[in-house]
Amino acid sequence: MKKFIIKRLLISAVILVFVAFIIYTLMRCLPTSYLEQVARQKSMTPGSKSFEEWMQQLSATYGMDKGILPGFIAWCGKALRGDFGDSWKWTVPVIDKFKESVWVSFIMGGIAFILELIIAIPLGIIAATKQYSKTDYTITIVALACFSLPTFFFASLMKLLFSVKLGWFDLGGLVGRNYNQLTSGAQILDKAHHLVLPILTLVVISIGSLMRYTRTNMLEVLNADYIRTARAKGLSESKVIYHHAFRNTLIPLVTMLGGSLPGLFSGALITETLYSIPGIGFVSFQSMTAGDIPFSMFYLVFLAILTLLGNLISDILYAVVDPRVRIS
Amino acid sequence: MSEEIRNNQNQNSSENEYSLNDDRRVRTLSPGALVIRRFIRNRVAVTGLVILVAMFIFSFIGGAISPYKEDQLFYTYNEQKKQYASIKENKEIRYVSASKNSFPSVAKAKCVMAIKKDEDTFEAKKIEYKLTKESDTLYSIYGEGDELVAFATYDIISSSTQGQDLPFELQYEIEKTISAGGDGFEFDGKSYTVDEAGTVLEGENEIGYASRYIVQAIMSDVFLTRSFKDQLISHINDGKNEFVFTDEDGTEAAYALTYDAGSESWNVLQTVETKVFDTYHSPTKEHPLGTDKNGMDMLTRLMYGGRVSLYIGFIVVIIESLIGVVLGGISGYCGGWVDNLIMRIVDIFYCIPSMPIIIILGAAMDAMRVDPQIRMIYLMLILGFLGWPGIARLVRGQILSLREQEFMIAAEATGIRASRRIFRHLIPNVIPQLIVTMTMSLGSTIITEATLSFLGLGVKFPFASWGNIINDVNDTFVLTNYWFIWIPAGVCLLATVLAFNLVGDGLRDAFDPKMKR
């Protein structure tokens, strides 16, 4: 087991280096619009250096004057020491901005994740136990509809319904207009109030796939021989389903859910952007569209790490949860 | 299968009795036909298929028969009331000076006081002025050397010819005649007549007129004719607030009159028709879904948008599948280090976060001002190039498991060529899974494209896409008031993606021979 984890970690590290290199190359090949913009602005001020001189100085400051490979090695060296440079757009160290914004995303993602579990798994099991019934068809179609729903369309509908027509929530933002006048308890409530629609959107959008996954796996388990045995023993149907079948359905579920845990930190790019929640997703969206290379670089590599970590966790969990699986 | 046989048995038993080993007793169906039968029996999947067909007809045929073009602009006439002239009854003394600087404003102020105090002289800027009261409405002002520098009166004397002012002396003579109640005068060797209405004639020709009302045009290039002014004044005196004037050429124009109590003046408003883009027009017969923010027909945009979304979906999925099948196939069939290498490449591509990358590239293309058409091609290439690892993994996994099965060993044992083994026995067994995955990823590709277009980083104006049609809701006013702009596009998008997923789901069930109903 230890050997397996170490081997996987090493492979992941190699993959990560390659991914980071590809991303770095890509970023460097882009027209560095942001630096040019700043240089142009600075060269406009009276008595200033020329645009080319500013461009040179800025490129040197941000390490953009080196070739791609030396630049990448320098970036890696700094990144390993936890220094990802200063964000161009936010004018603070990348790490500071990240720490500031990631928790909102995590809380949002976490609550949505728990709600998803509570709603999707029971529905998936019900659909599977009553296969081809009306309930099953309804659940399957609803799941597929959620799965097919474009985030931005759903969010717009929610805004129209709850913000414009009913006036229950603000159209966007994490805090209300009078946030600073509130007591600390009311401030938390205000934030929670603003997170309702984003979380609702997240839950509805992602609930479908989990529901289908549960249903498929539950169906597979229900067709297994040991379930027939359990039924043949004369066990009650509830005992068969919730004791024998459900436990075995948990194997793929836990594996998949464990793998998606790191994803909670990645932020919901589209949802956060739509509701202007200053989480990591929205912050990086703004950075990316502004051509902020240090921040985008960090965010992309961070996402790659999360993906690798997720894969690793699900592989390990698979072995841990299912005693039939032996790692070799 | 067993069900198939039973059904046929029931059907046939009513007709003829066949012996047990008669071939006609069992209608044999090819595997393809079986799949189709199983698919058709799945009502939900068929619904999906119907929606898809409807969407294709809507987008491709609808776009062709629509009377409008994708980027055809529509205009409307907007009636705007613009201020045309203002009119005011003069209640103050006005000065007409001989030349521009002969009677400065300081002197005017002093003059007013002198008139009020009934004085004959006043001094301004060390110049002694003499004031002579000719009548109640006319004062003559003499400056240095008893020269007439100005006169003060309540009347306004205007010239009848555009762009030509009457000389000062002539104006003075006219005013003198009017205030004295005379009907004619001699000036510069010519004789002039003045009638009751204040019209000044030189022989037969009208050269000017005097009036108590100040009528000024707002635009400096507009010349107000005498008859216009007269009619206007008579309308105002009658207390009307509308006024239709027919000029010499016979053109009619309507004006509205409003009284401004603050400045004690009347405003003449002209109704002007301006040609503007017919934006956000509510649904009508000509435009069943109204018009969008550029004044284009929404229904036509929706059809063309569907075309773009479907095109992009199909091309991206074809690119994805080509790369995926080739690499996955090689990887699965060859095994060994080739497999290892390709799978590591797949791992790397799997880790690259595609959405952020596409957003960055979209923003970069914005900065480079890439042509919208080329941009669309880039978008397809990028989406396809980032999407293949999933398919490669699937194909590899399938081939690995198929390779170990008995029928492949049998195929090998019969001694047929490798290429035939691959294309005749291996690939057909991968295709069902592949078709299902392709159908499902068509849906997700359309969503990705729509999301990008929604964010303004995908398909760009002038091309329509369902995503960039919905983009208008970023304007809260559109979100709130113009449902017909974005709801239909969203419904189309949802319906299409849902239909692809339903069909994919149905196909998965239909392809699975173990499926029992």
Side-chain angles (χ1 to χ4, degrees):
Chain A
M1 186 72 179
K2 211 190 224 169
K3 215 174 144 194
F4 168 77
I5 295 175
I6 290 171
K7 195 185 153 202
R8 281 300 304 267
L9 275 176
L10 285 176
I11 293 176
S12 301
V14 174
I15 291 173
L16 187 65
V17 170
F18 275 102
V19 171
F21 182 65
I22 290 176
I23 296 171
Y24 188 82
T25 315
L26 197 77
M27 298 299 274
R28 286 295 300 272
C29 291
L30 295 180
T32 48
S33 51
Y34 185 82
L35 279 192
E36 274 172 26
Q37 207 182 314
V38 173
R40 195 158 293 130
Q41 260 173 24
K42 296 220 176 204
S43 61
M44 290 293 188
T45 48
S48 168
K49 289 182 274 190
S50 72
F51 172 74
E52 282 75 23
E53 280 176 67
W54 267 116
M55 202 60 210
Q56 269 176 9
Q57 189 189 334
L58 286 172
S59 305
T61 318
Y62 292 115
M64 292 294 147
D65 53 344
K66 300 189 197 98
I68 288 180
L69 198 60
F72 177 64
I73 292 166
W75 183 86
C76 279
K78 278 188 177 173
L80 281 177
R81 275 172 271 139
D83 174 16
F84 288 91
D86 295 340
S87 163
W88 297 347
K89 181 172 168 58
W90 309 100
T91 58
V92 287
V94 168
I95 291 293
D96 289 4
K97 190 69 195 173
F98 167 70
K99 280 182 189 153
E100 184 191 313
S101 54
V102 75
W103 293 109
V104 179
S105 293
F106 179 71
I107 290 167
M108 212 170 97
I111 296 172
F113 185 69
I114 293 166
L115 286 176
E116 260 166 55
L117 296 187
I118 295 173
I119 300 168
I121 294 181
L123 284 179
I125 288 172
I126 290 170
T129 49
K130 298 183 177 169
Q131 199 187 3
Y132 301 131
S133 67
K134 274 209 174 106
T135 333
D136 179 32
Y137 275 122
T138 321
I139 290 175
T140 313
I141 290 175
V142 167
L144 268 178
C146 292
F147 182 66
S148 317
L149 208 53
T151 316
F152 59 94
F153 180 57
F154 184 69
S156 303
L157 279 178
M158 290 296 105
K159 280 184 184 177
L160 179 65
L161 185 62
F162 291 112
S163 303
V164 178
K165 298 279 178 214
L166 296 173
W168 291 354
F169 304 101
D170 285 356
L171 272 174
L174 180 60
V175 293
R177 225 171 280 129
N178 52 353
Y179 179 73
N180 289 326
Q181 279 89 54
L182 297 172
T183 56
S184 55
Q187 282 186 339
I188 294 174
L189 281 180
D190 186 46
K191 282 188 176 174
H193 183 244
H194 280 84
L195 282 178
V196 172
L197 279 189
I199 289 177
L200 178 68
T201 311
L202 276 182
V203 171
V204 170
I205 294 299
S206 45
I207 207 170
S209 52
L210 184 59
M211 213 145 43
R212 280 167 55 82
Y213 191 75
T214 314
R215 178 179 175 269
T216 318
N217 283 299
M218 188 73 179
L219 277 180
E220 216 157 85
V221 171
L222 284 175
N223 284 331
D225 291 340
Y226 54 81
I227 296 297
R228 197 180 304 137
T229 314
R231 287 212 176 102
K233 275 200 303 191
L235 291 178
S236 67
E237 189 62 21
S238 68
K239 186 132 193 175
V240 171
I241 286 166
Y242 296 106
H243 204 251
H244 289 77
F246 180 59
R247 281 181 164 194
N248 281 290
T249 315
L250 276 179
I251 295 172
L253 273 185
V254 167
T255 318
M256 186 193 94
L257 294 176
S260 60
L261 274 181
L264 296 182
F265 288 96
S266 67
L269 198 108
I270 307 294
T271 312
E272 281 173 22
T273 307
L274 287 169
Y275 289 102
S276 329
I277 302 288
I280 183 75
F282 185 40
V283 165
S284 30
F285 177 75
Q286 287 168 293
S287 309
M288 288 186 290
T289 44
D292 178 352
I293 293 184
F295 198 94
S296 312
M297 189 66 208
F298 166 76
Y299 181 63
L300 291 174
V301 171
F302 177 65
L303 286 187
I305 294 174
L306 291 181
T307 314
L308 286 169
L309 206 62
N311 287 348
L312 189 64
I313 291 177
S314 66
D315 280 0
I316 295 171
L317 275 180
Y318 193 46
V320 171
V321 178
D322 194 343
R324 289 170 298 187
V325 175
R326 290 278 165 273
I327 289 168
S328 51
Chain B
M1 258 323 247
S2 59
E3 200 186 357
E4 225 62 42
I5 297 169
R6 224 179 303 125
N7 282 348
N8 290 328
Q9 254 177 344
N10 293 341
Q11 276 172 16
N12 292 342
S13 57
S14 57
E15 296 164 10
N16 294 310
E17 291 288 334
Y18 296 116
S19 73
L20 264 179
N21 57 356
D22 193 329
D23 274 352
R24 281 170 299 175
R25 202 179 64 88
V26 181
R27 196 146 51 97
T28 45
L29 287 168
S30 70
L34 276 177
V35 168
I36 291 169
R37 285 192 70 158
R38 273 200 294 264
F39 183 82
I40 288 171
R41 216 178 296 154
N42 187 342
R43 219 176 299 155
V44 181
V46 171
T47 318
L49 195 65
V50 170
I51 297 176
L52 271 188
V53 171
M55 277 301 163
F56 271 90
I57 292 173
F58 175 74
S59 306
F60 287 91
I61 299 175
I65 60 171
S66 163
Y68 311 123
K69 287 198 203 84
E70 182 180 11
D71 47 6
Q72 188 176 350
L73 294 165
F74 292 91
Y75 300 91
T76 186
Y77 288 94
N78 200 348
E79 287 202 342
Q80 284 176 324
K81 282 186 175 167
K82 280 186 185 162
Q83 208 175 26
Y84 180 67
S86 70
I87 176 165
K88 191 175 181 181
E89 188 181 355
N90 191 29
K91 287 172 182 162
E92 284 164 20
I93 270 190
R94 292 169 59 92
Y95 300 94
V96 181
S97 46
S99 66
K100 219 177 184 182
N101 301 318
S102 61
F103 196 60
S105 47
V106 183
K108 285 178 186 168
K110 295 270 183 185
C111 180
V112 173
M113 282 163 68
I115 291 171
K116 279 208 175 137
K117 289 180 188 163
D118 264 342
E119 284 169 355
D120 296 351
T121 54
F122 59 92
E123 198 192 283
K125 284 194 172 176
K126 290 175 186 166
I127 298 171
E128 186 91 359
Y129 291 99
K130 249 188 232 164
L131 184 68
T132 318
K133 185 174 179 179
E134 310 277 349
S135 73
D136 279 349
T137 57
L138 178 68
Y139 295 85
S140 310
I141 300 152
Y142 300 92
E144 278 172 327
D146 282 351
E147 192 192 345
L148 183 73
V149 289
F151 64 90
T153 173
Y154 288 98
D155 288 333
I156 294 108
I157 300 162
S158 333
S159 164
S160 295
T161 358
Q162 184 171 359
Q164 197 184 328
D165 282 338
L166 298 175
F168 170 72
E169 283 80 11
L170 183 58
Q171 287 194 31
Y172 180 65
E173 287 300 327
I174 295 168
E175 193 51 49
K176 233 161 96 179
T177 319
I178 292 173
S179 60
D183 53 2
F185 61 94
E186 294 255 332
F187 176 74
D188 214 10
K190 291 172 190 162
S191 65
Y192 298 87
T193 47
V194 180
D195 67 10
E196 282 174 11
T199 317
V200 185
L201 301 159
E202 182 194 343
E204 291 291 296
N205 302 328
E206 182 184 326
I207 56 152
Y209 52 92
S211 161
R212 265 301 152 82
Y213 290 91
I214 312 167
V215 185
Q216 277 173 324
I218 299 296
M219 306 282 282
S220 57
D221 58 340
V222 174
F223 178 73
L224 301 174
T225 57
R226 175 80 200 280
S227 57
F228 178 82
K229 286 183 183 175
D230 285 349
Q231 284 196 34
L232 190 59
I233 291 162
S234 70
H235 272 83
I236 287 174
N237 289 337
D238 293 348
K240 290 179 181 158
N241 51 17
E242 266 174 19
F243 167 46
V244 178
F245 176 70
T246 318
D247 68 6
E248 289 162 355
D249 306 334
T251 17
E252 236 176 57
Y255 301 91
L257 304 173
T258 53
Y259 182 65
D260 181 20
S263 59
E264 292 187 344
S265 63
W266 290 82
N267 287 322
V268 184
L269 303 175
Q270 190 184 27
T271 325
V272 188
E273 279 202 331
T274 329
K275 198 178 180 188
V276 290
F277 290 131
D278 195 4
T279 55
Y280 296 130
H281 198 285
S282 303
T284 53
K285 223 176 201 175
E286 292 89 56
H287 305 296
L289 287 176
T291 55
D292 69 356
K293 69 171 170 213
N294 300 304
M296 299 175 181
D297 181 54
M298 208 61 232
L299 185 66
T300 313
R301 294 283 288 172
L302 207 57
M303 290 167 175
Y304 280 91
R307 254 188 218 193
V308 167
S309 291
L310 290 170
Y311 266 140
I312 292 184
F314 273 98
I315 293 177
V316 167
V317 167
I318 288 171
I319 297 175
E320 262 176 26
S321 321
L322 276 181
I323 306 179
V325 168
V326 169
L327 288 183
I330 294 173
S331 178
Y333 193 77
C334 296
W337 68 268
V338 179
D339 178 33
N340 237 324
L341 179 73
I342 292 177
M343 282 342 273
R344 290 299 84 77
I345 295 175
V346 167
D347 281 343
I348 289 171
F349 268 85
Y350 218 71
C351 270
I352 293 179
S354 49
M355 198 68 185
I357 292 273
I358 302 165
I359 288 175
I360 290 173
L361 289 175
M365 284 196 270
D366 267 358
M368 291 190 284
R369 307 224 164 118
V370 179
D371 178 76
Q373 183 125 36
I374 298 170
R375 196 189 164 107
M376 224 145 78
I377 298 172
Y378 280 147
L379 182 71
M380 293 184 226
L381 289 178
I382 296 167
L383 283 174
F385 199 64
L386 289 172
W388 64 269
I391 292 186
R393 267 192 187 172
L394 173 101
V395 172
R396 173 182 173 268
Q398 285 277 310
I399 287 186
L400 278 185
S401 76
L402 287 171
R403 232 174 35 167
E404 303 301 317
Q405 282 183 16
E406 286 87 350
F407 74 90
M408 281 312 289
I409 301 170
E412 212 168 336
T414 53
I416 50 176
R417 322 190 279 285
S419 64
R420 200 170 159 76
R421 279 211 302 275
I422 295 173
F423 289 108
R424 190 93 184 94
H425 296 279
L426 217 45
I427 300 285
N429 282 295
V430 182
I431 284 201
Q433 273 289 320
L434 193 65
I435 290 179
V436 172
T437 315
M438 279 168 76
T439 320
M440 297 291 221
S441 66
L442 260 172
S444 59
T445 307
I446 290 175
I447 287 198
T448 312
E449 177 273 322
T451 309
L452 283 170
S453 304
F454 174 78
L455 293 173
L457 299 166
V459 179
K460 285 261 186 184
F461 186 81
F463 294 102
S465 127
W466 286 337
N468 72 18
I469 289 172
I470 306 179
N471 183 17
D472 272 8
V473 298
N474 286 335
D475 181 351
T476 314
F477 194 71
V478 177
L479 172 76
T480 323
N481 294 303
Y482 303 124
W483 63 269
F484 53 87
I485 298 287
W486 61 280
I487 302 250
V491 171
C492 283
L493 194 54
L494 175 60
T496 311
V497 178
L498 181 61
F500 273 123
N501 284 331
L502 288 176
V503 171
D505 220 35
L507 282 176
R508 188 208 308 271
D509 288 352
F511 277 131
D512 190 355
K514 282 179 282 182
M515 263 279 300
K516 273 178 258 161
R517 288 291 310 262

